[in-house]
Amino acid sequence: MEVAGSHWFDSCSYYKSNPIQVKACPGNYYIYKLVKPDISIPVPSYCAVSFSNSSVDPCYNYTALNDTWRSSTNSTTNLICDVNVNWVGWYRLFYLEQSAKMPETCVRPNRCGTYIPLWLNGSHPRVEDGVVVRQICGSFISDCCFFKSFPIQVKACPGNYYVYEFVKPNICFTTYCTGNALI
């Protein structure tokens, strides 16, 4: 990456530095490999600019899902279908007004308000992992992963909660489950 500097009376690209290396890391931060500026630049220095990326970070831009019927212990089969939901953006799960997360183990059929409950087939990420992709399984009859949905994205957020980028399941009578283990 090329670095440019300005002169008090001239354009922003008055001085050119030797190229630097920039690496984007999971967790929305960067690492820079800086080089010593050219000696012809008067009072050379690198500056850091603080910025907030909260408008695009899903940890700060999500929709809350606080449907108690999504609970993995809810055996009431209302035949709810997440195919009918217009899944756009990121979602944070709540159970009884507390942060919750998707179950990481098989959820019995006829839970979460439907026939085929959807659960996370894999572990939740750590904050430093950034956004990860996880498979979704749906339990039906005696098969914990009878139905395999499209993968979703998951992110661990500062403050000990998770956000999910849910996608429309392929078939009806499936719903994303909320585990009862409060975070």
Side-chain angles (χ1 to χ4, degrees):
M1 175 174 279
E2 189 173 278
V3 178
S6 65
H7 192 274
W8 68 274
F9 61 84
D10 211 334
S11 71
C12 287
S13 59
Y14 187 82
Y15 296 111
K16 300 252 190 236
S17 174
N18 294 325
I20 64 169
Q21 293 179 358
V22 181
K23 180 180 179 185
C25 298
N28 295 329
Y29 67 93
Y30 299 90
I31 296 176
Y32 300 89
K33 183 176 182 184
L34 305 175
V35 295
K36 186 174 182 178
D38 189 292
I39 58 168
S40 67
I41 300 173
V43 194
S45 63
Y46 288 102
C47 300
V49 177
S50 176
F51 68 95
S52 172
N53 204 12
S54 62
S55 65
V56 295
D57 187 340
C59 289
Y60 307 104
N61 188 15
Y62 59 81
T63 300
L65 283 183
N66 193 23
D67 305 315
T68 54
W69 54 262
R70 290 187 183 278
S71 165
S72 58
T73 59
N74 176 19
S75 60
T76 304
T77 318
N78 296 330
L79 300 183
I80 296 170
C81 184
D82 275 348
V83 167
N84 299 324
V85 176
N86 184 21
W87 296 105
V88 177
W90 291 79
Y91 296 84
R92 180 177 174 185
L93 298 174
F94 291 88
Y95 177 69
L96 300 176
E97 307 294 328
Q98 300 274 331
S99 268
K101 63 181 183 177
M102 286 188 75
E104 296 175 347
T105 58
C106 183
V107 176
R108 292 181 19 213
N110 300 313
R111 302 286 178 183
C112 308
T114 196
Y115 285 143
I116 305 171
L118 300 177
W119 55 277
L120 196 66
N121 188 9
S123 61
H124 280 79
R126 299 168 299 169
V127 172
E128 57 268 20
D129 296 331
V131 175
V132 300
V133 175
R134 293 291 186 261
Q135 294 295 319
I136 296 295
C137 280
S139 308
F140 189 62
I141 308 174
S142 61
D143 187 345
C144 280
C145 207
F146 177 84
F147 171 72
K148 294 169 184 65
S149 179
F150 294 115
I152 65 167
Q153 294 191 93
V154 183
K155 183 176 182 185
C157 298
N160 199 27
Y161 65 93
Y162 299 93
V163 290
Y164 306 86
E165 189 176 38
F166 293 133
V167 297
K168 184 177 287 205
N170 304 17
I171 60 172
C172 205
F173 305 123
T174 58
T175 60
Y176 290 104
C177 286
T178 299
N180 295 340
L182 304 179
I183 301 175

